[in-house]
């Protein structure tokens, strides 16, 4: 049997298989509130057989959104809209997860398809007002990026509560996995990385001080969600830049995250610098984070998810069998084919188990019929090869 289709149990949560839809911003919300688009877009992944469906980066505070059109979870109206998404995902067998995020100094941007650049006065003219971004230090993410306002020590400590409040709303809405966005140069990562954190108070300087804010957030979120809900943490396992975080730092950090209540490390990379003259990116080969996820898994003992150009069922299976990861996260491949887990099931186990009952029976019958045709040597093109035409 295939490992990809073995359930994964973490705390009180069991995913039906080891596929996860990676969080992906769709820039389609208004005032942070989910709508029919989010329900249908995310719902199709549950129908497609995913084990965990992770809702996109969802702002814990208005100023923590990447764009005006991000989802948010700082009020109850937003919670109620997301509850419909969680209910649908649950009804069709997926574990509903949500990524909580604060974009920090990389907030106040255009939607990705508009370029993803920081908002300017030109955008304000079309109704997309820029806003003041915040961060650990007054260090811009790169040339052309806004200088963040440095948060005071008291503001940093006080902001922990917004993560706990959003996490509590998420659980009330029915989510069973919370993924804290600790990567890609956003607020938590920007505190952790010496590239963006040049503070001299208790939230900056030593490794312990730079980890303080992320770990305070993790502990507060764990206390808010109780023992039953699974807590993931997305790391940028390496900054890819001289003087930045390395995979060794990430292994050590993962051990601290485990003590603070994290159940799984969701391994990504990069994002701390937007300076295009420096090449910080991990090479985008197939399964491009597998070496990093394996290092964190081996070094910390925690389960990990790996993500990055995973496109083939046999590739996904081999990553699990080889010990590179415990969970396979797919982003763009799921956008390409939201039924990927079902197709993977057919490729690895040769059946339609897990397809929802409205369609599984029909596909089973059709597969048997097509197998008979194949035995008789008939292909979809036979008709056109017939000499009688
Ligand atoms: C449209 C789009 C939106 C994304 N939004 C997020 C996000 O909200 N949070 C996050 O952690 N990563 C985000 N990512 C990164 C993906 O989760 C994933 O890590 C990346 O696309 C690599 O995986 P893939 O090759 O399977 O797509 C986004 C990627 C895409 C393509």
């Amino acid at each position: 049997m295939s490992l990809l289709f073995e359930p994964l149990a973490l705390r009180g949560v069991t995913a039906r298989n080891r596929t996860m839809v990676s969080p992906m911003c769709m820039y389609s919300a208004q005032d942070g509130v989910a709508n029919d688009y989010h329900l249908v877009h995310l719902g199709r992944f549950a129908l497609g057989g995913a084990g965990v469906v992770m809702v996109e980066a969802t702002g814990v505070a208005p100023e923590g959104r990447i764009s005006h059109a991000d989802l948010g979870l700082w009020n109850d109206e937003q919670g109620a809209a997301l509850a419909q998404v969680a209910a649908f995902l649950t009804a069709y067998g997926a574990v509903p997860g949500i990524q909580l995020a604060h974009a920090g100094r990389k907030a106040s941007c255009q939607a990705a398809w508009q370029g993803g650049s920081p908002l300017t006065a030109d955008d304000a003219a079309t109704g997309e007002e820029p806003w003041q971004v915040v961060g650990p230090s007054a260090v811009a993410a790169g040339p052309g990026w806004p200088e963040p306002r440095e948060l005071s020590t008291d503001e940093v400590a006080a902001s922990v509560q917004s993560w706990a409040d959003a996490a509590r709303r998420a659980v009330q809405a029915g989510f069973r996995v919370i993924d804290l966005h600790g990567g890609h140069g956003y607020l938590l990562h920007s505190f952790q990385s010496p590239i963006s954190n040049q503070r001299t108070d208790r939230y900056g300087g030593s490794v312990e001080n730079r980890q303080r804010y992320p770990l305070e957030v993790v502990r507060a979120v764990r206390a808010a969600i109780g023992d039953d809900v699974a807590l993931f943490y997305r790391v940028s396992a390496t900054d890819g830049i001289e003087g930045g975080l390395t995979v060794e730092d990430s292994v050590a950090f993962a051990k601290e995250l485990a003590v603070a209540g994290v159940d799984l490390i969701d391994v990504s990379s990069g994002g701390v610098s937007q300076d295009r003259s420096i090449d910080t990116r991990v090479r985008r080969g197939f399964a491009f984070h597998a070496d990093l996820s394996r290092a964190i898994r081996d070094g910390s003992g925690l389960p990990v998810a790996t993500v990055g150009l995973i496109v083939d069922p046999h590739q996904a299976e081999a990553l699990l069998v080889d010990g590179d990861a415990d969970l396979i996260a797919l982003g763009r491949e799921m956008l390409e084919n939201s039924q990927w887990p079902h197709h993977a099931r057919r490729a690895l186990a040769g059946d339609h188990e897990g397809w929802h009952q409205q369609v599984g029976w029909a596909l089973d019958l059709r597969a048997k019929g097509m197998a008979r045709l194949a035995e008789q040597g008939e292909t979809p093109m036979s008709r056109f090869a017939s000499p009688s035409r």
Side-chain angles (χ1 to χ4, degrees):
M1 233 336 252
S2 129
L3 195 46
L4 190 62
F5 286 91
E6 273 194 15
L8 177 68
L10 294 163
R11 299 211 176 225
V13 181
T14 303
R16 59 185 160 185
N17 60 49
R18 288 159 186 251
T19 64
M20 175 170 96
V21 180
S22 202
M24 283 179 285
C25 288
M26 290 291 117
Y27 308 100
S28 298
Q30 210 172 358
D31 299 325
V33 181
N35 54 48
D36 287 352
Y37 174 77
H38 300 91
L39 180 63
V40 174
H41 162 67
L42 294 161
R44 70 187 158 130
F45 300 127
L47 297 181
V52 179
V53 178
M54 192 65 75
V55 174
E56 68 187 61
T58 299
V60 298
E63 68 279 8
R65 288 174 294 174
I66 300 167
S67 80
H68 281 281
D70 286 22
L71 288 175
L73 204 37
W74 62 84
N75 67 40
D76 292 342
E77 183 194 0
Q78 294 160 344
L82 282 166
Q84 294 185 32
V85 174
F88 186 91
L89 298 178
T90 305
Y92 287 91
V95 171
I98 186 163
Q99 185 180 55
L100 299 181
H102 189 303
R105 65 185 188 152
K106 290 173 70 176
S108 185
C109 286
Q110 302 162 329
W113 63 75
Q114 292 165 338
S117 301
L119 293 172
T120 64
D122 288 349
D123 300 290
T126 61
E128 302 256 287
E129 279 287 337
W131 65 89
Q132 174 64 56
V133 299
V134 296
S137 305
V139 180
W145 285 71
E147 188 177 294
R149 182 178 69 75
E150 178 174 322
L151 292 166
S152 72
T153 309
D154 286 349
E155 283 176 316
V156 177
S159 74
V160 171
Q161 190 60 41
S162 61
W163 294 87
D165 290 344
R168 190 176 305 107
R169 281 194 192 93
V171 173
Q172 275 165 3
F175 289 95
R176 302 284 291 149
V177 175
I178 306 295
D179 183 36
L180 297 176
H181 201 334
H184 301 176
Y186 297 131
L187 191 65
L188 295 177
H189 181 193
S190 70
F191 268 85
Q192 199 203 336
S193 174
I195 300 295
S196 40
N197 184 344
Q198 296 174 4
R199 300 176 74 90
T200 53
D201 66 358
R202 68 175 194 272
Y203 291 109
S206 66
V207 175
E208 291 71 26
N209 282 358
R210 283 185 280 108
Q211 291 179 354
R212 189 180 309 280
Y213 179 59
L215 291 173
E216 283 181 0
V217 167
V218 168
R219 284 192 287 269
V221 166
R222 171 51 75 198
I225 65 179
D227 289 338
D228 215 38
V229 170
L231 183 57
F232 295 5
Y233 192 98
R234 176 163 271 203
V235 291
S236 275
T238 161
D239 282 339
I241 188 171
E242 188 69 34
L245 296 173
T246 63
V247 66
E248 290 76 24
D249 295 325
S250 298
V251 169
F253 184 48
K255 292 180 187 165
E256 300 295 329
L257 290 171
V259 173
V262 166
D263 304 307
L264 178 143
I265 308 290
D266 175 10
V267 180
S268 188
S269 68
V272 85
S273 170
Q274 295 300 125
D275 185 343
R276 294 196 193 284
S277 68
I278 315 172
D279 183 11
T280 60
R281 291 196 347 152
V282 166
R283 184 183 161 267
R284 266 27 186 182
F286 289 110
F288 56 82
H289 287 126
D291 290 343
L292 295 167
S293 62
R294 184 189 193 94
I296 292 179
R297 184 176 193 258
D298 289 351
S300 72
L302 269 184
V304 300
T306 198
V307 69
L309 216 56
I310 300 166
V311 297
D312 177 88
H314 298 283
Q315 174 200 19
E317 180 74 12
L319 288 163
L320 295 172
V321 171
D322 252 34
D324 290 328
D326 303 276
L327 181 64
I328 301 296
L330 301 109
R332 292 161 295 174
E333 187 61 23
M334 286 286 192
L335 301 181
E336 175 81 23
N337 174 12
S338 60
Q339 310 241 63
W340 191 91
H342 284 329
H343 294 294
R345 173 87 202 186
R346 194 150 62 197
L348 296 174
D351 60 37
H352 289 103
E353 211 174 294
W355 293 66
H356 54 288
Q357 64 182 359
Q358 290 92 330
V359 304
W361 67 272
L363 293 177
D364 256 338
L365 274 182
R366 189 182 74 143
K368 287 181 186 122
M370 289 202 299
R372 277 195 297 277
L373 293 176
E375 274 166 26
Q376 293 159 17
E378 188 170 337
T379 74
M381 295 308 284
S382 297
R383 166 186 176 78
F384 306 102
S386 157
S388 60
R389 273 182 74 85

